[in-house]
Amino acid sequence: ADLRHRLQAAESKCDRALDEFENAQSAKRALETKFSEERRSLEEIASEAESAQSELRLKLKIVENKNSEKEAALANALERMVSLEGQVLCLQREIKDRESDFELIKSNLLARLQSSGSELGNVMVELEKSLTEASELTKKLLDEQALNRKNESD
């Protein structure tokens, strides 16, 4: 009876141990399932994060390219502006040179004009003298012809 009692106690312990083992197995499977689901969820999140990271890298490259294009355009615009400033300075110098040339030509023309005016005045005086002499000669000639006609008629 004692052996039977111990055997039953051992059997009961075995049953309890088996129940605990099955409960532990069940808990293990539940944890594995939960772990697997969480792992899939984390993998999805990691995949989404990688996609977002790739997308952000692409957007960053696009922004960098646009910035590079803007910087290049700005550099070109600055070069053009410097070139235009140089051209403006050259044109301003040329304008000043031309203005100086114009002033010189103008003063030369004024001097020539004054000289020509003086010469014209002298010519006019000479012409007037010549006209006066011609008028006097014509009058003398007419007077002589009139006198000759009068003498011929007498």
Side-chain angles (χ1 to χ4, degrees), residues 2-153:
D2 189 38
L3 189 55
R4 191 182 244 188
H5 186 296
R6 279 202 259 160
L7 193 58
Q8 281 178 345
E11 196 176 296
S12 177
K13 278 185 182 181
C14 272
D15 284 343
R16 270 185 271 143
L18 186 58
D19 284 343
E20 283 180 26
F21 177 75
E22 286 175 357
N23 286 340
Q25 285 269 33
S26 179
K28 179 185 168 199
R29 280 191 297 272
L31 283 174
E32 285 175 347
T33 302
K34 186 175 181 181
F35 177 74
S36 183
E37 288 172 1
E38 286 181 7
R39 181 186 216 172
R40 273 190 296 256
S41 175
L42 288 174
E43 285 174 351
E44 286 176 14
I45 290 170
S47 175
E48 289 172 5
E50 286 176 6
S51 293
Q53 189 178 23
S54 295
E55 193 174 316
L56 286 174
R57 281 188 187 130
L58 181 63
K59 286 181 180 178
L60 180 62
K61 282 185 181 180
I62 291 170
V63 167
E64 287 173 347
N65 288 342
K66 285 183 180 179
N67 284 345
S68 295
E69 290 172 6
K70 286 179 183 176
E71 287 173 0
L74 182 59
N76 287 340
L78 285 173
E79 284 180 27
R80 182 78 176 129
M81 189 174 81
V82 167
S83 172
L84 289 174
E85 285 175 349
Q87 290 176 1
V88 166
L89 289 174
C90 287
L91 288 173
Q92 287 174 340
R93 274 189 239 119
E94 191 173 329
I95 287 170
K96 284 182 183 177
D97 291 346
R98 297 270 169 97
E99 285 174 346
S100 297
D101 292 347
F102 174 75
E103 289 299 320
L104 183 62
I105 291 169
K106 186 171 114 180
S107 72
N108 287 340
L109 286 175
L110 284 174
R112 284 185 191 169
L113 186 60
Q114 287 174 349
S115 173
S116 296
S118 296
E119 286 180 34
L120 183 61
N122 292 339
V123 167
M124 292 286 282
V125 167
E126 291 293 321
L127 184 61
E128 194 174 317
K129 284 180 187 176
S130 296
L131 285 174
T132 303
E133 284 178 21
S135 176
E136 288 173 0
L137 286 175
T138 304
K139 188 177 177 192
K140 258 188 187 179
L141 190 63
L142 287 175
D143 286 344
E144 280 180 23
Q145 283 178 352
L147 188 63
N148 284 341
R149 274 189 220 146
K150 188 178 180 187
N151 287 339
E152 281 177 17
S153 27

